[in-house]
Every structure is written in C-alpha cells, then in structure tokens.
Amino acid sequence: APRCGFSGKVVDALKQLQAPVHCVDILQDQDLRAALKEFSNWPTYPQLHVKGELVGGCDIITEMAASGELKGLLEEKLGSDYARAAAPAMAVGAAAKAAEGGAASGDGGEAAESKGQLMSRIMRLLDSAPVMLFMKGSPEAPRCGFSRKVVDALKGNQIDFSTFDILSDEGIRQGLKEHSNWPTYPQLYVKGELVGGCDIILEMATAGELKSSVEEMMYRKPDA
C-alpha cells in the first residue's frame, strides 16, 4: 500500500494504463533513498524511471497521464512488453471512449481555437529559431529527465538553440504531436524539420554526429 498521496497517484496512473511496473520502497533503504536522489538529480519521491531513464515525479506523471502522453511514452520505450500487458485495458478503454463520445455529441460551448489557427501558431514557433527544442520546463529548470538530457546534449555540443515549454500551452502540446506524428516530448527541430526525441538525440550525441547533423540541416539548400 502506498504510504503517501503522491505515490498513490502515480501508482493509480500506471494501473489505469496496465503498465508493467516494478516498485521499490525507498523507506526500506535510506542509502538507496539518498543515492537515487543524487543519481537522478531529482529531490523528491516518487520517481518514475523507464528503461533506466527518469521520467519525473508525481506532477509530471499525472499531467502526462491526463494528456495521453504517458501511454505514448510507454509504447515507445517498452514496445511489445507494454502492448501485451495493456491490450485488455485498451479494448475496454476504447469502448468507454466511444460511449462517452456518443453522449457528448451535440454539446456546444465556447468556440475553441480552430485547427488552422493552431497550425499557424505551430509553424510560427517552428520558424522562430533555426534550432528549436519543444521540452518540458526550461533549460535552466527542466521538468522531466528526458528534456534535461537533451538540453545537456545540445549544450555539450555547443549548439545554440531556443526552447518552448509545452507544459505552458496545451494546444501546442497536443497539436505538435499530431503535426510531427511523434507521441512524446522533448522534440528537437532544425529549420522546422523534426530531428527526433530523447533517444535519437542521445544516440547522435554519443556517436559524435549531433553537431554535424544539426549544421548540415541548418545550411542545407532547399530543394529546387
């Protein structure tokens, strides 16, 4: 049983997604409790790690769960392991969503931003800097481990970049995922072209290809 409300919220979010999860009680090991905070550079608990990488704490996990981004992250990182575990829940969830959609149809309300208006905002952001990172938080205070790793990789390669905090704008957060057909954040763009997310950026950095690839994309001549 969770021994704090924050842990309980994260457990509930993962259970709803039928995520295959292993829990460690940090109250049982003070050395581990202290060492993991230092290792992850994250001062509080709970902490969710996927494939050895920090996703974040309670606020980030519950936000990602509410937006559907947590499901996308688990699908991306865990692949078939997640698909097998979540299949029954996804079938039930799809039926429930269809029922909700039927009940909600015809409900009016205040006019929302049109898809065209949202796309115009997305394109303006993509054009606002040669290298643009859509992340959670800011370079000075990243709000998830994946965003922090990409910021560190860009800084380590002396790449100048601008950022946009997707937590500050739900429209951009959802619209950009659809535009890029990329389900998770961070997302790195060069001249409006998607480079990739955390795994791809770190692989390129480790291989020594990140800086040269970014420069090539920046100075590539447009197709005739």
Side-chain angles (χ1 to χ4, degrees), residues 118-146:
L118 176 59
M119 184 54 59
S120 294
R121 287 209 295 135
I122 288 173
M123 298 310 295
R124 286 197 296 272
L125 282 169
L126 290 173
D127 291 339
S128 65
V131 181
M132 191 72 181
L133 177 65
F134 292 83
M135 61 177 291
K136 293 179 180 179
S138 66
E140 297 75 25
R143 292 190 61 190
C144 81
F146 300 112

Side-chain angles (χ1 to χ4, degrees), residues 80-115:
S80 60
D81 290 339
Y82 175 68
R84 283 193 297 269
M90 286 192 289
V92 173
K97 188 173 183 181
E100 289 173 3
S105 61
D107 185 16
E110 187 176 346
E113 181 180 36
S114 73
K115 191 169 184 178

